[in-house]
Amino acid sequence: MSVSPAVSSSVSFPIPPAVSVPTQAELLDFVRSAAADAGLIRSLPLDPEGRTWVRLDGPGGSEAWLIGWPPGTGTGWHDHADSVGAFMTASGELKENSLAARLPTEGWKTLELTDGVDRERRLPAGQGRAFGRHHVHEVLNESPDRHAVSVHAYYPPLPRIRRYSRSGGILRLEQVERPEDWQ
């Protein structure tokens, strides 16, 4: 009696490529490139009274937005929770007020800020910045007569935005928004 050798067959399964998480630098490169796309910037409908926005496909699964800012509009104080991000002014000029302080991420409603935490940055067309998790800021178009347009990208896609009120050195958590609130 002859015995056949056992034949082993292997089944190969395709291995999905590793997902590349975009870095702050890659998000900044994306918003810089998008802000330089004159056709994209012109395609944004501008409203004389309220901000307008269009969602873009960002790199590596990031969330990106093209935003129009009528004169005198702003975001109010907020953060982007666990997302890192970048934004770039494409036309006009924006002003960013931010806090150079790491805030607790949970479990507080009111904080007293220390002196020296305030930062102000003017961002004319072609200027922007990247930022890390829990970055608290407000973005404003202070022009009395000119729209501004900017490009923003966040990774991971925004899980929530926390909105704050500010009175002098007191910062208060007012509201937590989820994606369904702004999409």
Side-chain angles (χ1 to χ4, degrees), residues 41 65-69 87-91 94 148-152:
I41 303 311
W65 298 90
L66 178 62
I67 301 176
W69 306 76
F87 70 100
M88 178 80 51
T89 305
S91 68
L94 294 173
V149 175
S150 58
V151 181
H152 303 245

Side-chain angles (χ1 to χ4, degrees), residues 1-175:
M1 175 179 208
S2 75
V3 177
S4 299
V7 177
S8 82
S9 64
S10 64
V11 177
S12 64
F13 296 97
I15 298 172
V19 175
S20 176
V21 172
T23 64
Q24 289 178 36
E26 289 167 331
L27 293 174
L28 187 58
D29 286 344
F30 170 80
V31 297
R32 181 177 292 117
S33 175
D37 183 337
L40 175 66
I41 303 311
R42 280 192 308 273
S43 74
L44 180 66
L46 299 177
D47 182 303
E49 296 180 20
R51 286 191 302 151
T52 55
W53 54 88
V54 172
R55 188 163 184 166
L56 306 173
D57 290 327
S62 64
E63 180 173 345
W65 298 90
L66 178 62
I67 301 176
W69 306 76
T73 59
T75 60
W77 287 94
H78 67 283
D79 72 15
H80 305 98
D82 295 319
S83 297
V84 298
F87 70 100
M88 178 80 51
T89 305
S91 68
E93 179 177 279
L94 294 173
K95 175 184 168 188
E96 180 196 33
N97 294 317
S98 63
L99 300 177
R102 191 151 186 81
L103 302 181
T105 57
E106 300 293 335
W108 66 276
K109 293 283 185 192
T110 303
L111 287 176
E112 187 171 341
L113 302 171
T114 59
D115 290 337
V117 298
D118 289 299
R119 299 292 181 265
E120 179 181 306
R121 185 178 268 126
R122 297 262 173 208
L123 300 165
Q127 297 293 310
R129 68 169 313 218
F131 54 86
R133 290 171 168 72
H134 311 291
H135 175 70
V136 177
H137 70 165
E138 68 174 346
V139 180
L140 308 159
N141 176 5
E142 294 185 321
S143 172
D145 57 4
R146 186 166 180 217
H147 266 79
V149 175
S150 58
V151 181
H152 303 245
Y154 311 98
Y155 190 87
L158 295 172
R160 66 185 182 267
I161 292 177
R162 292 180 290 217
R163 299 217 174 260
Y164 305 98
S165 63
R166 175 130 186 229
S167 177
I170 304 297
L171 188 70
R172 285 186 179 79
L173 176 62
E174 297 290 345
Q175 180 180 2

